[in-house]
Amino acid sequence: MTKRHRTAASTAVVALVIAGAHFIGAAGAHADEVKPSVPPGTEPSAAAPVAIDSNAPGLKIPQGGTLAPVKVLDIAEVVEDLGGEQRRQETNQTVMMALQSEVLFPENSAVFNAQAAARIQAIAQEINTQKATRIRVFGFTDDQGSYEHGKELSKQRADAVQAELAKTVTAPGVTFDVRGYSEDYPIADNGTEEGRKKNRRVEITFPRGSAG
């Protein structure tokens, strides 16, 4: 059984501006030509559990004092296989599955290897369980080679994963947001092969449903 490392991280809510996204049906995928400040879906999702009344007497604010602005923390649980081939990140609202490109594709290719379909179908089954109808599929590369080549390759790989997901995801009205980001938004150090391997990935993100 694969050993797993579990870590918990919390990040403060920040305001993020998302550039226009193009959503499509399961039949195809199109690149978004406007580069957003960060990939959609990476923004914190936490909301205040209860409303806070700054005038409530029970808060016992000293005379002349005021409450600081409310800060809500987004708690994320991250589970990664020992080899780092697959990483799962959950918040209270979303699930993100990241697969290293090496477990899906040969080097510098967007054609699946023998084990890729089974891995993607397992994720598709969870999407069905969560009854998710809005799915993000984002491809990323390391910083080796030209930026434009990385953008094309990462988009082709994201398209391939989306097409495989669409074979199994059965929810009516499902939409996919499919993008390739080249070397943008690394999650590890591109100065080492271990880091570059983690950066070459495809991320699949979908909302948690009643099953979550």
Side-chain angles (χ1 to χ4, degrees), residues 155-183:
K155 178 60 165 56
Q156 289 174 345
R157 287 175 167 176
D159 283 337
V161 170
Q162 181 271 330
E164 188 63 36
L165 286 171
K167 296 177 182 179
T168 305
V169 174
T170 58
V174 66
T175 58
F176 290 88
D177 182 9
V178 185
R179 307 187 188 203
Y181 284 103
S182 189
E183 65 195 56

Side-chain angles (χ1 to χ4, degrees), residues 57-185:
L59 293 176
K60 300 184 184 302
I61 302 175
Q63 186 174 2
T66 59
L67 286 178
V70 176
K71 180 182 293 186
V72 181
L73 300 181
D74 204 20
I75 306 301
E77 179 185 29
V78 179
V79 180
E80 185 175 278
D81 288 348
L82 185 60
E85 293 182 349
Q86 183 165 317
R87 182 167 56 92
R88 178 189 182 98
Q89 178 176 309
E90 291 190 57
T91 70
N92 60 324
Q93 295 188 16
T94 63
V95 177
M96 188 276 287
M97 306 289 292
L99 295 170
Q100 286 186 5
S101 294
E102 279 77 0
V103 304
L104 301 176
F105 307 99
E107 183 178 358
N108 203 33
S109 172
V111 178
F112 285 140
N113 60 30
Q115 62 177 323
R119 282 182 175 268
I120 296 169
Q121 288 167 9
I123 296 174
Q125 292 292 354
E126 179 167 358
I127 292 172
N128 286 338
T129 300
Q130 299 286 353
K131 297 180 174 60
T133 58
R134 184 172 178 176
I135 305 163
R136 296 180 172 100
V137 185
F138 296 159
F140 304 85
T141 62
D142 59 26
D143 65 351
Q144 305 299 290
S146 72
Y147 181 86
E148 289 304 319
H149 174 70
K151 185 174 182 180
E152 180 180 4
L153 179 61
S154 59
K155 178 60 165 56
Q156 289 174 345
R157 287 175 167 176
D159 283 337
V161 170
Q162 181 271 330
E164 188 63 36
L165 286 171
K167 296 177 182 179
T168 305
V169 174
T170 58
V174 66
T175 58
F176 290 88
D177 182 9
V178 185
R179 307 187 188 203
Y181 284 103
S182 189
E183 65 195 56
D184 291 335
Y185 315 112

